[in-house]
Amino acid sequence: MDKTQKYFDKLTIRFAGDSGDGMQLSGKLFANAAASSGKIARTFPDFPSEIRAPEGTLYGVSAYQVNFGKEDVHTPGDEVDILVAMNASSLKTNLKLLKKGGIIITDTEGFNRKNLRLSQYEESPLESGELEEYNLLALDVTKNIQQELSNLGMSPKNIKKTRNIYVLGVVFWLTGHDISSTANWLKEKFGKKPEMLEANLKVLDAGYLFGQRFEGLPEQFIIDDASMQAGTYRNITGNEATALGMVAAAENAKLELFLGSYPITPATEILQFISSYKSFGVRHLQAEDEIAGICSAIGASYGGSLAFTTTSGPGLALKVEASGLAVMTELPLVIINVQRGGPSTGLPTKPEQSDLLMSVWGRHGESPMPVLAAASPGDCFHMAYEASRIALKYMTPVILLTDGYLANSTEAWKVPDLNMLPKVEVQLADPAEPYQPYKRDDDTLSRKWAVPGMKGLEHRIGGLEKADITGQVSHDPDNHQLMVDLRQQKVDGIANDIPLLKVEGDTESDCLILGWGSTYGAIESAYKILNEKGVKVAKAQLKYINPFPQNLGDVLKNYDKVIVPEMNKGQLATMLRAKYLKEVIQVNKVKGIPFKAMEIASEVEAIIQTETELV
């Protein structure tokens, strides 16, 4: 039959199934194919905390969402256009995300009596009529791939492992994507397993041809290529970008890089990525616990390396005491906290922004520390680099906040010219001059960094309070007051070395949407929605939270309504009220899932409408 093509600006597809159905892989391969074909893609992996949840259960569903288009793709998408649901539970848990009239692609084998019972369906939704508002494509995937692979003599178990690749082939045809990038990935993945390689390539082709020939798919959904700046691009996750940012900073500073870390979801991948950069002089230690991780990093910093440690919420709590030691010794250290849902073990695989107050104030004593926040997966590179720059220039530990959403999601990232990155200054002591551990630079108030083993640079530092200049242990009250003040002044002074807050949008608006961290993408998309409706708003994104940009107070004074969306109960809002005595309007969400653009747009519109009615 003749097929038609229907053009879209962007589309959202969600792959869902059991944890063992390969939905995370299918989503990643699809996102890579979309990016390599010239589209802008943003992703969001959504998976359970259990390593392998019971098959067929509602809480065992794993999903991967991809929003791709030719412009303005800042989020994984609000509503899903195409839902791949490999079984009954994945359909039930994800159907609410599918827009009316959207396409459902299912595997009929996933709707047997057992699966229906586990998903709490009384009868099959494929036959009950409850999916009449959608375009249903129910495939007998297992039967199709068995026929396709019948001559290979493979076991039923291995045949079943190719189901996700077959469905991916169908989706590739439906969305007009070439299969070559996935075929090349399969060749690399299964190059030493010729039987599995042949099987996966065959079912990929078979799925694509099925889409071509099947009358139930009368049209393809096509998106034109994006208009992007010239350059080299790659799909990158926030965790990978963070690792690369640290490597780039060490290269620029001409220092060895050391990571001391204990594996914890969702920060573990940074440790995994770092382990592949040994050729750049990178060293890493997978420590026995969080305390050992940060203490080894402090030791490496004392020894002259650019050192960092990675963790997530509960791990940050364990690093608190050693963080204070890094403040007292005034050593350069980057602490990367990939935030997740809490408290306690909480929601290990779900994102949250609930560690802000802990990062700024959650240490014993007067223990000031710069705090930065990345805004997107690609921005994790630049903010990790910036955290390193500040740590080395000001001889201080720095906390960089990302979260599970940024860590695991991907975006098309333009690879920067390393020669164009800011210079990373290193405050090394001069062996030719008499060394005093706490003699400070007049501008930065940073002390000089003396690497052990150099003649004339012998010194002692530690957790007890030190005397100004000499670094001797001191219990003198006036000296303690002075050192506390100096450490605070040093961090406060960093405000002179960071960009002013940039406000974008309608200059005549009296309403500002102020975000931080991973709310960036949803705010960008919400701003466009509001603009199209004629609602006048301005927007700004905080990347520097301690200290704040110098002009933040003046910016806040310019707006009657300052709306702060956060994935917490109002932590940035609390800080703004405390420092600037400015009332702000909170928009809070603590569900373990990122904001949707429409959620923020609707809240802002309702706030503006309410204020207008009151006037």
Side-chain angles (χ1 to χ4, degrees):
M1 65 175 289
D2 292 332
K3 303 270 189 172
T4 61
Q5 293 184 331
K6 189 173 181 180
Y7 284 81
F8 295 82
D9 289 335
K10 54 187 170 184
L11 288 168
T12 300
I13 181 166
R14 188 172 177 92
F15 297 86
D18 273 327
S19 294
D21 284 340
M23 294 296 96
Q24 299 295 319
L25 175 60
S26 294
K28 291 176 183 177
L29 292 174
F30 183 86
N32 288 339
S36 65
S37 67
K39 313 299 185 294
I40 301 173
R42 289 294 300 268
T43 70
F44 176 57
D46 186 7
F47 45 89
S49 302
E50 294 85 353
I51 294 175
R52 189 67 182 270
E55 189 173 326
T57 59
L58 292 168
Y59 60 88
V61 173
S62 177
Y64 196 101
Q65 186 162 310
V66 184
N67 185 20
F68 62 105
K70 62 180 183 180
E71 60 181 354
D72 295 321
V73 179
H74 300 290
T75 74
D78 280 10
E79 289 186 306
V80 174
D81 298 287
I82 303 168
L83 173 62
V84 174
M86 297 297 284
N87 61 14
S89 287
S90 60
L91 176 66
K92 189 163 193 174
T93 56
N94 290 281
L95 186 60
K96 61 182 179 293
L97 304 175
L98 183 67
K99 63 176 59 174
K100 297 298 187 251
I103 293 176
I104 301 171
I105 301 175
T106 67
D107 181 4
T108 55
E109 187 180 273
F111 291 79
N112 57 35
R113 183 177 299 176
K114 178 183 177 182
N115 280 315
L116 292 175
R117 175 176 57 80
L118 289 171
S119 59
Q120 300 173 17
Y121 275 118
E122 293 184 2
E123 57 181 322
S124 174
L126 307 183
E127 301 168 356
S128 65
E130 67 178 274
L131 302 179
E132 289 180 351
E133 295 179 296
Y134 308 96
N135 294 309
L136 176 63
L137 179 59
L139 309 178
D140 192 341
V141 176
T142 301
K143 179 181 178 182
N144 292 349
I145 61 177
Q146 284 175 339
Q147 291 176 348
E148 192 66 32
L149 304 179
S150 59
N151 63 335
L152 295 185
M154 293 178 64
S155 67
K157 181 179 179 181
N158 282 339
I159 288 176
K160 190 175 181 179
K161 289 180 179 179
T162 66
R163 292 161 65 236
N164 64 322
I165 300 298
Y166 178 88
V167 174
L168 185 59
V170 176
V171 174
F172 276 150
W173 181 87
L174 180 61
T175 54
H177 282 101
D178 188 84
I179 64 174
S180 59
S181 66
T182 297
N184 290 335
W185 182 88
L186 290 170
K187 291 172 184 176
E188 183 177 343
K189 174 71 174 178
F190 296 111
K192 297 180 180 180
K193 298 179 180 179
E195 182 185 68
M196 289 301 297
L197 174 60
E198 183 180 0
N200 279 282
L201 290 175
K202 289 189 73 169
V203 298
L204 179 64
D205 283 334
Y208 191 90
L209 289 173
F210 176 88
Q212 238 178 10
R213 297 167 181 170
F214 182 59
E215 294 184 3
L217 291 174
E219 60 186 10
Q220 286 180 294
F221 295 174
I222 305 299
I223 294 175
D224 290 330
D225 290 349
S227 177
M228 303 171 72
Q229 292 181 346
T232 302
Y233 288 82
R234 59 176 290 186
N235 251 16
I236 197 166
T237 67
N239 275 346
E240 187 172 9
T242 299
L244 280 171
M246 295 302 302
V247 174
E251 283 289 298
N252 190 308
K254 296 180 172 54
L255 296 173
E256 288 190 342
L257 180 65
F258 176 86
L259 169 61
S261 184
Y262 178 73
I264 183 172
T265 302
T268 304
E269 283 186 334
I270 301 175
L271 175 61
Q272 295 170 342
F273 288 128
I274 278 293
S275 68
S276 64
Y277 295 117
K278 294 177 182 176
S279 60
F280 291 91
V282 176
R283 299 182 181 183
H284 69 280
L285 170 68
Q286 181 172 322
E288 67 268 27
D289 55 41
E290 295 283 0
I291 298 171
I294 187 171
C295 287
S296 67
I298 291 172
S301 178
Y302 178 69
S305 294
L306 172 57
F308 74 114
T309 187
T310 56
T311 192
S312 190
L316 185 64
L318 290 168
K319 294 181 188 292
V320 163
E321 182 181 0
S323 298
L325 175 62
V327 171
M328 176 66 79
T329 56
E330 300 190 42
L331 285 168
L333 174 71
V334 177
I335 303 168
I336 296 167
N337 179 26
V338 187
Q339 300 166 98
R340 72 189 206 188
S344 188
T345 307
L347 304 173
T349 61
K350 310 298 182 184
E352 209 165 273
Q353 292 181 299
S354 54
D355 296 344
L356 180 59
L357 295 183
M358 180 182 181
S359 299
V360 176
W361 290 317
R363 284 171 297 282
H364 164 66
E366 294 292 337
S367 189
M369 194 181 295
V371 177
L372 283 60
S376 71
D379 190 49
C380 289
F381 172 90
H382 297 285
M383 296 312 290
Y385 189 96
E386 177 70 348
S388 302
R389 183 190 73 84
I390 290 173
L392 290 167
K393 182 175 180 178
Y394 291 88
M395 289 294 287
T396 179
V398 178
I399 291 181
L400 171 61
L401 296 174
T402 71
D403 62 41
Y405 168 37
L406 297 182
N408 294 312
S409 62
T410 64
E411 71 173 336
W413 175 63
K414 185 180 179 182
V415 179
D417 181 349
L418 296 183
N419 295 319
M420 300 302 292
L421 294 173
K423 182 181 178 182
V424 178
E425 300 178 30
V426 181
Q427 308 296 321
L428 289 176
D430 185 352
E433 298 179 0
Y435 181 61
Q436 298 282 8
Y438 284 89
K439 183 179 180 181
R440 299 179 183 278
D441 180 86
D442 291 338
D443 294 327
T444 64
L445 296 182
S446 64
R447 70 179 191 86
K448 297 298 182 182
W449 193 11
V451 179
M454 298 184 69
K455 187 177 180 180
L457 299 183
E458 298 87 353
H459 66 287
R460 181 179 66 176
I461 57 176
L464 289 171
E465 182 61 282
K466 300 296 180 290
D468 186 33
I469 309 295
T470 67
Q472 298 299 315
V473 173
S474 172
H475 298 285
D476 178 71
D478 291 336
N479 178 79
H480 181 53
Q481 180 76 54
L482 175 63
M483 294 298 278
V484 166
D485 291 343
L486 285 171
R487 287 189 288 263
Q488 185 64 60
Q489 290 168 21
K490 178 171 70 171
V491 172
D492 291 344
I494 294 171
N496 299 316
D497 196 19
I498 61 177
L500 297 177
L501 181 64
K502 183 179 179 181
V503 179
E504 300 176 311
D506 198 307
T507 56
E508 299 179 0
S509 173
D510 65 352
C511 178
L512 173 70
I513 309 173
L514 181 62
W516 73 275
S518 63
T519 58
Y520 168 77
I523 291 172
E524 285 289 309
S525 297
Y527 173 76
K528 182 181 180 184
I529 293 170
L530 292 166
N531 261 356
E532 291 173 348
K533 289 186 173 185
V535 180
K536 294 182 178 181
V537 293
K539 60 182 173 67
Q541 183 75 14
L542 278 171
K543 294 186 181 181
Y544 301 86
I545 300 177
N546 192 40
F548 285 129
Q550 285 183 319
N551 65 331
L552 177 56
D554 292 333
V555 168
L556 296 178
K557 290 177 184 177
N558 288 336
Y559 295 91
D560 293 335
K561 294 178 285 294
V562 177
I563 302 172
V564 182
E566 298 183 77
M567 289 193 293
N568 58 42
K569 293 296 290 180
Q571 297 190 18
L572 176 62
T574 298
M575 292 181 64
L576 296 176
R577 291 190 187 104
K579 185 172 179 62
Y580 299 105
L581 303 180
K582 171 75 174 182
E583 183 52 46
V584 299
I585 302 169
Q586 297 179 203
V587 176
N588 303 117
K589 180 177 182 177
V590 193
K591 296 185 176 181
I593 53 177
F595 274 106
K596 293 181 179 180
M598 187 56 72
E599 289 175 333
I600 294 178
S602 297
E603 289 279 359
V604 172
E605 194 171 10
I607 291 166
I608 293 175
Q609 181 64 33
T610 301
E611 293 288 333
T612 302
E613 290 173 354
L614 289 174
V615 172

